[in-house]
Amino acid sequence: MDSPAPLDQRVALIHYWLVSMRGGERVLEKLLDMHPGADIFTHVHNPDKMSDTIKAARVHESFIARMPGAKKHYQKYLPLMPMALEELDLREYDLVISSESGPAKGVITRPDALHVCYCHSPMRYLWDHYHDYKSSAGRLSKLMMPMMFHRLRQWDVSSASRVDGFIANSNFIARRIRRVWGRNAKVVHPPVAIDEFKPSDNVTDRYLWVSQMTPYKRADLAMEAFNRLGVPALMVGDGEMYKYVKKNAGPNIEVRQRLSFPELKEAYATSRALVFTPEEDFGIVPVEANASGRPVIAYGRGGARDSIIEGETGLFYNDHTVEGLMDAIQRFEEWEPDFKPVNALANAERFSPANFDKGFREAVEYFRTRELQD
């Protein structure tokens, strides 16, 4: 049985920025549930965009929030964020949990405090996606980025030594942490509200694609594969590629910018299969599809390798081209009679909020015990 954390301990949650409710912010909500009374520290906070759970917490902003236009253009202040983190006064806190995707882990804590980092990903714009960001940057930014980002990488690596223990949201991210920071990580998958999704008896012949329509999500690849095969499909998402997809989708494809939550649940439950084209750090969408009793056709890299069981709850494809996806859809239609919705439902249970709580507490207790032994 887990040893309970001291009742009188003070907890600080460090989150990169609070400007929208996405996967990282849902994890933050769970951390608040697990640590009532915890304080949040962040670079920029927009309460109008936050859930009631986060609104009810005490939120402290770094000096980045006082910079001109920071609430909208916070990422332009990335070079100042290491200094801003180091200026946060965390002397009162016994347990510090940083939520890393943007700069968060580089805080300075008391020597006897425990600092655990839950990592959604090392900063993508410094590492894996650096050349993508650089190629789309303006002329001045392109000139400044090599030197500026070189220094940020140095800080990013050195600040990893301030963390007592890393928790990764997938095995994919654990490998990235090991490669970038030279640290091992426990894996605790993020919580998915699986109880909000249910199977349907009214399954259609329509494929489903759901994500932000940004270039790396590869909505264009899914659209072209659906076009060439002529299969019925629903594509849902907003972003800079929405107009392109809307314009070029054939009559067999319905394209929607967004769905209400009841509409989304119905779309999952009645779809023939979810087609998942991005390489994600974890990817909640495939789990939601399995929780709706439906299979997934996923690109076989990234977090989907953790969430989908090949030949049981879905299929993978590795050739990330239109032809590769078309082949995967055709293979799926041959395999489809072997799919059992009960397997998808059982698989989704692995990612329940209760399992997240248990895994996270066990990891923190492991790091706490290790520090006491050292």
Side-chain angles (χ1 to χ4, degrees), residues 122 168 170-183 185 187 301-303 305-306:
S170 69
N171 285 288
F172 177 64
I173 293 304
R175 289 191 294 272
R176 190 181 285 174
I177 289 170
R178 191 160 52 246
R179 185 178 72 246
V180 172
W181 297 329
R183 300 287 300 273
V187 175
R301 294 184 61 181
R305 282 283 177 184
D306 281 23

Side-chain angles (χ1 to χ4, degrees), residues 113-128:
L114 181 68
H115 179 183
V116 175
C117 175
Y118 187 83
C119 185
H120 307 279
S121 175
M123 285 185 281
R124 299 174 192 87
Y125 24 84
L126 292 188
W127 303 102
D128 299 59

Side-chain angles (χ1 to χ4, degrees), residues 270-332:
T270 60
S271 68
R272 186 172 186 176
L274 172 78
V275 173
F276 190 70
T277 50
E279 177 185 325
E280 291 284 21
D281 304 326
F282 173 68
I284 287 176
V285 168
V287 179
E288 292 176 340
N290 271 185
S292 306
R294 303 313 305 147
V296 178
I297 303 167
Y299 180 44
R301 294 184 61 181
R305 282 283 177 184
D306 281 23
S307 59
I308 299 303
I309 302 173
E310 170 81 13
E312 187 171 313
T313 72
L315 296 179
F316 293 118
Y317 69 97
N318 296 312
D319 177 9
H320 210 25
T321 63
V322 173
E323 292 75 16
L325 179 54
M326 289 171 62
D327 175 70
I329 292 172
Q330 290 167 335
R331 284 191 291 112
F332 165 79

